[in-house]
Amino acid sequence: MNIARPAIDPELLAPLAELPPLPPLGPEVIELLRHFPQPPIESHLEGRAVERREVTVPADDGTPIPLSIFSPTDGAAGAPCVYWIHGGGMMWGDRFSNIDVPLEWLDRFGAVVITVDYRLAPEATGTTLVDDCYRGLLWVAENAVDLGIDPGRIVVAGASAGGGLAAGVTLMARDLGTPAIAAQLLSCPMLDHRNDTVSSHQYGGPDGVWTREMNEFGWRSVLGGTADGNVSAYVSPALADDLSGLPTTYIDAGTAEVFRDEDVAYATGIWAAGGQAELHLWAGGFHGFSALFPQVRVSDAARRAQAGWLARVLEPNPDLKD
């Protein structure tokens, strides 16, 4: 049965049609995606005045968690920091995935960009992924002065699965009382394992960047054998009963994607708790549109809106000029 759903932006249809079809997710496809070639990190750093540093931070069980630190070579002490958590359905990707997005913020705001490699599902399950991200963030806050970072201007950001993990990390930091997070930027975040919204039903079927069926597989991989009633809100942030006390939040999504309604609900929950959230829904945007095709007008508008919000967060009192 066909279900009525918002159409994809006409300018996105042509580049979307050029994407190769993705077979149903399974172990072989996940392994293929993990080894899918992507531009080397050096190509993103070329022409930028950036210093790169690699460190590892021990997880609670001693597993090393890699972090990459990108700092402006001419940056002053007390720079803002963007802690970037990559996407990939929680099953693939690495700390350099979509690194062009936060590097644009390094250019514009002089921000130190730090990216984290968390362990992936299905090998890692439950809270392991969000715990890894939290441990990395805690290390960043504890070493902020040495890193040239203002500990009062740390922004946690991520896209898709990374957006969901960013939300989970922010909930965890609130509940544990540390570290201080100035803001969270959640781009098309993966927030709700229940997969039962209207938009999750609208965007099922064999075709799509991220479909209802892919979402179900991804969540099964993350949750393992966890019973539904035992799922942590740090893993599936939509389960959080209390969204009070969160830092100012940016959430965006496309109208033509699975995550649309759960993202709207999360912003609504923050408002209901008295918090501040800015929500953007981009007409005709499918999942990940602005990262995949930044040259399209709706994608450019989405990326400019993110940067504009960050400017207000990181530069709250700019000099007024005529």
Side-chain angles (χ1 to χ4, degrees):
M1 180 177 70
N2 291 327
I3 301 176
R5 58 189 188 182
I8 292 172
D9 181 280
E11 285 188 67
L12 287 169
L13 288 174
L16 179 61
E18 295 177 0
L19 289 179
L22 189 64
L25 292 182
E28 297 82 7
V29 175
I30 299 305
E31 194 64 20
L32 177 66
L33 291 169
R34 288 180 179 179
H35 293 91
F36 193 82
Q38 61 178 334
I41 181 59
E42 289 77 15
S43 67
H44 293 291
L45 301 182
E46 187 176 355
R48 283 189 162 101
V50 176
E51 294 179 356
R52 176 184 171 190
R53 176 183 169 195
E54 300 289 337
V55 301
T56 58
V57 177
D60 289 339
D61 63 2
T63 300
I65 305 166
L67 300 176
S68 292
I69 304 164
F70 303 97
S71 305
T73 54
D74 57 353
C81 173
V82 174
Y83 185 74
W84 178 254
I85 305 176
H86 71 82
M90 302 194 201
M91 297 172 289
W92 65 85
D94 61 28
R95 63 192 184 280
F96 305 130
S97 299
N98 297 127
I99 191 66
D100 60 301
V101 175
L103 286 178
E104 289 179 3
W105 305 332
L106 181 150
D107 295 339
R108 175 165 175 176
F109 305 113
V112 176
V113 171
I114 302 179
T115 66
V116 57
D117 253 349
Y118 53 90
R119 282 171 282 182
L120 299 170
E123 294 86 351
T125 58
T127 61
T128 299
L129 295 78
V130 71
D131 285 339
D132 286 356
C133 296
Y134 176 76
R135 291 300 306 172
L137 177 65
L138 197 60
W139 181 89
V140 169
E142 291 171 346
N143 293 274
V145 174
D146 291 340
L147 294 169
I149 291 168
D150 177 356
R153 291 196 294 166
I154 296 175
V155 176
V156 177
S160 190
L165 289 167
V169 164
T170 303
L171 287 170
M172 188 177 291
R174 179 202 64 180
D175 294 346
L176 296 176
T178 188
I181 297 174
Q184 59 175 340
L185 188 154
L186 315 177
S187 184
C188 53
M190 181 178 178
L191 297 172
D192 193 343
H193 77 286
R194 294 167 294 190
N195 209 26
D196 61 1
T197 64
V198 170
S199 59
S200 75
H201 287 278
Q202 285 178 315
Y203 293 97
D207 300 318
V209 172
W210 188 254
T211 65
R212 173 181 174 79
E213 292 77 14
M214 295 174 185
N215 203 39
E216 289 177 341
F217 181 89
W219 279 116
R220 286 199 307 271
S221 299
V222 173
L223 297 177
T226 304
D228 196 64
N230 295 324
V231 177
S232 169
Y234 300 143
V235 178
S236 183
L239 298 177
D241 293 327
D242 179 11
L243 295 180
S244 64
L246 295 176
T248 186
T249 300
Y250 183 100
I251 299 174
D252 67 13
T255 60
E257 70 164 298
V258 168
F259 296 147
R260 182 195 66 217
D261 293 347
E262 64 197 63
D263 294 349
V264 171
Y266 202 71
T268 301
I270 293 173
W271 297 325
Q276 191 65 272
E278 180 160 328
L279 173 66
H280 289 260
L281 292 178
W282 298 99
F286 55 81
H287 184 65
F289 69 96
S290 64
L292 285 169
F293 305 117
Q295 74 280 5
V296 173
R297 283 184 294 179
V298 66
S299 302
D300 178 64
R303 292 172 77 131
R304 284 189 288 107
Q306 290 181 353
W309 176 83
L310 276 172
R312 300 196 302 275
V313 168
L314 298 176
E315 303 168 348
N317 297 303
D319 293 333
L320 296 178
K321 297 180 181 180
D322 295 333

